[in-house]
Amino acid sequence: MSFMNSQDKSCAPHKHIRKCAGIPRSFLVEVNDPDRKGVMMDSSGKYVIPVMDADAYAIGKKEKPPFSPQNEPSSPSSSSSDPVPAALLCLICKDLLTDAVMIPCCRSSYCDECIRTCLLESDGHLCPTCRQSDVSPDSLTANTV
């Protein structure tokens, strides 16, 4: 009577390979490596993986830096599919209004920082739209519309 040695390689447990069932053959790709990720065995005993998985495994996962912005903001002029209404753009910086305020003389809307800087740097506190002078930065009102 002979007992098997526990170190015998022929007794090593084999990897359990799933049988593919219900997947059309046209959706499968034959592979030679039974240790390949996602491998299954078809009804004829061949190793296969789904075509979609083969493409995905070939490309690999693309890592993103953990704190990168998801989508870079595009400028309003370059977005042709959904243009930003002009009423939401600052007349000075041409970007979306940030902390929108209205100037009392012509009721134009600007970013708060843009119009305050413009009024303080201009000679005589000139409105950049209607050119009225002596417009105080304190007279700006929040644009809630």
Side-chain angles (χ1 to χ4, degrees):
M1 222 188 233
S2 116
F3 291 99
M4 285 198 211
N5 183 352
S6 63
Q7 299 294 329
D8 188 5
K9 299 278 187 214
S10 64
C11 293
H14 293 287
K15 179 180 172 188
H16 176 72
I17 297 178
R18 297 182 329 172
K19 295 196 185 249
C20 66
I23 302 174
R25 290 180 194 257
S26 61
F27 289 9
L28 299 171
V29 175
E30 186 176 343
V31 294
N32 295 327
D33 184 10
D35 295 324
R36 187 167 179 173
K37 188 170 183 174
V39 73
M40 296 181 277
M41 187 176 287
D42 68 3
S43 59
S44 64
K46 296 178 183 174
Y47 297 115
V48 294
I49 60 173
V51 172
M52 288 178 51
D53 291 349
D55 294 341
Y57 295 143
I59 293 170
K61 185 177 178 182
K62 294 181 182 175
E63 294 292 330
K64 287 185 179 180
F67 298 107
S68 68
Q70 295 298 321
N71 292 322
E72 290 295 320
S74 60
S75 66
S77 60
S78 68
S79 176
S80 60
S81 63
D82 195 13
V84 176
L88 299 178
L89 299 176
C90 175
L91 297 172
I92 297 173
C93 69
K94 309 294 187 217
D95 281 334
L96 284 173
L97 291 167
T98 305
D99 297 326
V101 293
M102 286 191 301
I103 196 163
C105 53
C106 60
R107 311 285 294 161
S108 296
S109 293
Y110 304 94
C111 297
D112 185 51
E113 184 178 345
C114 291
I115 190 61
R116 286 182 190 278
T117 303
C118 183
L119 289 173
L120 293 173
E121 290 180 352
S122 68
D123 292 331
H125 300 291
L126 285 176
C127 170
T129 303
C130 70
R131 311 304 283 165
Q132 180 176 329
S133 61
D134 295 326
V135 179
S136 170
D138 295 333
S139 64
L140 300 173
T141 58
N143 184 347
T144 58
V145 181

